[in-house]
Amino acid sequence: MVTDSCGFLLIFLITLLLAIPLGAYMKRVYNHEKSLLDFLRPVENGIYKLCGIDPAKSMDWKQYLLALLTIQVVWVAPAFILLLLQEKLFLNPAHVAGMEWSLALNSAISFLTSTNLQHYSGESGASYLSQIAVFTFLQFVSAATSLAAGVAIVRGLTADPGTGIGNFFSDFLRSCTRILLPLSVITAVIFMVGGIPMTFKGPNRIITLQGDTVNVARGPVASMIPIKELGSNGGGFFGANDAHPFENPSFATFVVHFIIVFLLPMAFVFFIGYYLNRKKFAWMLFGVMTAGLLLLVVPIVKEEAAGNPKITAMRIDQRHGNMEGKEVRFGVHYSAFYAAENVAIPAGTVASVHDSYMPLSSVAMLIGMQVDAFFGGLGTGWINMFMYMVIAVFIGTLMIGRSPELFGKKISTKEMQVAVAVNVLQIFIPVALAAIACFVYVNKSRGGDSLGWLSNKGPHGFTTMLYEYVSSVAGNGSNFAGLGNNTLFWNLTTSLAMLSGRFVPIAGAFVIIGLMKQKKFIPDSLGTLQTDSATFGAFLFAIIIILSVLSLFVIFMAGPIAEHFLLHR
């Protein structure tokens, strides 16, 4: 365990060393300073001219948000139609059938919102055209949208009162051309060298040593995998995701997976420090987020390393921990590390089956997804942290008898109300939808068996349904494999959860920035609460725990905690 922990720490440190200069580069990109990829400017200008866009025109928060929301419709409609008709279109050598309408809608919304909840299995449910033109494309534009939104909120915290927060189309295109695309190309080349296939040939028919004939799925995998993790997306080309040898051929590629999931969310933290010229503030955020990550990693690794007491009672050797559902090539510890990383950063990509983890491990997973600010999603993790900061500054300054201020702008009741409303909705929506699902299941004839939803009942079944909605709202997309979720009910309700979880926090953050932009800048004084101090970092961490973790404690008692006591009784 010590060796594996040191390996994970080394991966984290390597990512940190890459993230700091990448954050500085991002500052130059979004501040329109000279940068490495300026040779792409003629291409970008050609796109602006073709679309009739003036990238120099600054937008206020309403214009920026409207542009961000409007373009989502432009992307989701053709994606939905293509998924319905994929059987009749080209690049379909495996002859995959068109999706049922509710599944097509759910899949289009899932990738549009950067959730990548997959109610289908990639190799049998999507044609090559859908994998490229729908899923890979939406993973790029959803990640670029998240980046642009996060950058706009950072820009809104600058001292200039009454000014705009930038141009959405400029931020969006630069996110694609200057950051996501070059990093994806570099990573794709590394993956192809590492053994990930990149081909448009159909499934390969082979004869096994036993003489059986097997069709082995393949396809343009290497082009999709980089953006699914660099963009905090997570949708796998194959149903097994990163446990599939064509998505993750070796331990070397597994290390690359680890790094690229962390890379951009971590770099964004340092981008904030460079852009606002508050590097100490960035390190405070980094400290809070790292502490939160450890809060998830430690219990998951500890629980999985201890093994399952029911299996121990059967006198089965568990010296290697709870291996049920784990990636055998990498063992319990790295599988657990990867699970923790991918709930902290809602890429949701998996290398093991979360349904087979111990009950208290699922508590940590639910907490990580619910908070979504311990690094969190690319751009959106910062937005969630910004909400927590508004609440922490408001409460903290009133506790010491000061006027609430954040970066020289007063925080009034309105900003506090918006931040609290967003936080409450992020908790209420998954809990309310899980309650509806439980009501439908319990009141169905024969106790819900005819629905075919749950392979495990009792507390674990409740956790399975709750996890689906928490994952959807958090933009995570991972799930418990014991849920039969490709039904009209789950496709529509999770679509609602994904839309609300994606756009409610973004809209709330823009409203707050709009209110703050109207206020006069107040220089720091001796009475100003120092938001870059370790003391404030500890207070901010406590606020996050109180608002998110304790709010769900009763729910945990009905699900994973109850299951834990049943296992150990």
Side-chain angles (χ1 to χ4, degrees):
M1 182 174 178
V2 174
T3 302
D4 291 337
S5 298
C6 290
F8 180 70
L9 177 61
L10 180 61
I11 291 171
F12 187 84
L13 291 175
I14 291 172
T15 310
L16 176 61
L17 292 175
L18 294 172
I20 293 174
L22 182 55
Y25 167 75
M26 291 169 67
K27 183 257 184 181
R28 293 194 294 274
V29 168
Y30 292 113
N31 211 28
H32 296 269
E33 300 173 7
K34 287 185 178 180
S35 63
L36 185 64
L37 299 178
D38 281 344
F39 65 87
L40 293 172
R41 187 173 288 121
V43 177
E44 295 167 345
N45 290 336
I47 295 173
Y48 295 137
K49 187 175 181 180
L50 179 66
C51 299
I53 294 170
D54 179 8
K57 182 182 178 182
S58 184
M59 299 176 173
D60 61 27
W61 73 270
K62 293 180 181 178
Q63 294 169 326
Y64 200 106
L65 181 60
L66 180 62
L68 185 152
L69 294 176
T70 302
I71 203 168
Q72 310 301 312
V73 181
V74 176
W75 293 326
V76 75
F80 171 66
I81 294 170
L82 197 152
L83 292 174
L84 288 175
L85 302 177
Q86 64 179 354
E87 182 179 14
K88 301 177 181 179
L89 299 173
F90 55 95
L91 283 181
N92 189 11
H95 307 292
V96 175
M99 289 187 180
E100 182 267 336
W101 76 268
S102 68
L103 177 60
L105 180 65
N106 180 275
S107 301
I109 290 174
S110 176
F111 281 79
L112 176 78
T113 58
S114 198
T115 308
N116 294 21
L117 183 73
Q118 293 177 285
H119 288 176
Y120 66 94
S121 184
E123 59 265 56
S124 60
S127 67
Y128 292 173
L129 180 63
S130 296
Q131 296 278 25
I132 297 170
V134 177
F135 299 138
T136 302
F137 171 77
L138 287 180
Q139 288 186 102
F140 268 101
V141 297
S142 63
T145 299
S146 300
L147 257 177
V151 168
I153 299 304
V154 174
R155 197 179 283 128
L157 293 174
T158 54
D160 302 330
T163 57
I165 57 173
N167 185 289
F168 168 73
F169 300 108
S170 175
D171 291 340
F172 170 80
L173 187 58
R174 281 176 167 256
S175 297
C176 289
T177 58
R178 306 292 183 98
I179 296 171
L180 296 173
L181 187 58
L183 286 175
S184 295
V185 170
I186 293 170
T187 310
V189 172
I190 294 172
F191 278 151
M192 284 190 288
V193 171
I196 293 181
M198 184 64 196
T199 178
F200 289 100
K201 295 180 180 178
N204 189 18
R205 179 169 294 182
I206 63 172
I207 299 176
T208 67
L209 294 176
Q210 298 182 155
D212 298 327
T213 300
V214 179
N215 290 322
V216 179
R218 53 183 175 175
V221 185
S223 62
M224 180 181 184
I225 305 307
I227 189 57
K228 85 163 184 173
E229 290 167 358
L230 283 165
S232 304
N233 292 299
F237 193 98
F238 301 99
N241 213 292
D242 280 356
H244 197 288
F246 284 175
E247 287 199 26
N248 195 6
S250 65
F251 187 77
T253 58
F254 196 32
V255 170
V256 178
H257 283 291
F258 265 108
I259 291 173
I260 62 176
V261 170
F262 264 137
L263 183 59
L264 282 173
M266 191 182 292
F268 196 92
V269 175
F270 296 104
F271 156 75
I272 295 169
Y274 285 116
Y275 197 94
L276 298 177
N277 197 24
R278 293 174 180 262
K279 295 179 183 178
K280 190 177 177 182
F281 172 75
W283 281 105
M284 183 278 295
L285 285 181
F286 177 80
V288 171
M289 292 176 176
T290 302
L293 179 65
L294 289 174
L295 181 70
L296 307 178
V297 169
V298 172
I300 294 177
V301 173
K302 180 177 179 295
E303 284 295 303
E304 300 312 306
N308 190 322
K310 293 294 185 183
I311 297 178
T312 301
M314 298 167 65
R315 298 182 179 180
I316 296 175
D317 183 8
Q318 288 198 92
R319 73 181 69 180
H320 298 298
N322 175 31
M323 282 299 296
E324 181 188 350
K326 301 299 188 300
E327 172 55 81
V328 177
R329 292 177 296 165
F330 310 130
V332 163
H333 296 114
Y334 278 105
S335 296
F337 287 140
Y338 199 59
E341 178 188 47
N342 280 280
V343 292
I345 296 169
T349 186
V350 296
S352 52
V353 181
H354 289 186
D355 189 43
S356 298
Y357 276 68
M358 300 303 294
L360 295 187
S361 296
S362 63
V363 170
M365 292 177 187
L366 289 165
I367 290 172
M369 292 187 295
Q370 183 62 55
V371 172
D372 194 14
F374 296 148
F375 293 105
L378 177 57
T380 54
W382 152 246
I383 287 176
N384 291 319
M385 182 60 79
F386 174 66
M387 295 292 184
Y388 290 122
M389 282 190 60
V390 170
I391 298 172
V393 167
F394 190 87
I395 295 174
T397 50
L398 293 183
M399 288 174 65
I400 59 176
R402 306 263 172 82
S403 177
E405 296 174 14
L406 179 61
F407 295 138
K409 302 294 180 72
K410 285 192 177 295
I411 302 294
S412 65
T413 306
K414 289 183 179 179
E415 288 92 332
M416 181 67 169
Q417 288 172 336
V418 173
V420 170
V422 170
N423 184 265
V424 170
L425 279 173
Q426 293 298 91
I427 296 173
F428 173 77
I429 290 172
V431 171
L433 289 173
I436 293 171
C438 289
F439 178 84
V440 172
Y441 186 84
V442 170
N443 286 277
K444 185 71 176 176
S445 60
R446 292 185 294 163
D449 287 346
S450 58
L451 292 172
W453 285 357
L454 299 176
S455 59
N456 292 287
K457 301 179 183 179
H460 189 88
F462 172 73
T463 305
T464 299
M465 293 192 287
L466 175 66
Y467 190 103
E468 185 82 358
Y469 288 121
V470 172
S471 175
S472 298
V473 171
N476 187 277
S478 63
N479 57 28
F480 274 22
L483 179 66
N485 49 21
N486 185 15
T487 65
L488 182 66
F489 178 88
W490 286 103
N491 286 335
L492 295 183
T493 54
T494 53
S495 293
L496 175 64
M498 289 185 287
L499 288 170
S500 63
R502 171 69 163 181
F503 297 112
V504 167
I506 290 176
F510 274 94
V511 170
I512 293 174
I513 284 297
L515 292 169
M516 292 176 67
K517 268 293 185 182
Q518 298 172 5
K519 299 176 182 179
K520 183 179 178 181
F521 175 75
I522 303 171
D524 289 349
S525 65
L526 292 176
T528 302
L529 179 67
Q530 299 301 312
T531 55
D532 56 4
S533 65
T535 302
F536 179 76
F539 183 72
L540 175 61
F541 185 80
I543 289 293
I544 293 172
I545 298 300
I546 291 170
L547 289 177
S548 295
V549 179
L550 297 185
S551 298
L552 288 172
F553 183 73
V554 176
I555 309 299
F556 294 154
M557 287 295 294
I561 295 178
E563 184 184 2
H564 171 77
F565 286 124
L566 287 173
L567 280 175
H568 289 82
R569 66 181 177 179

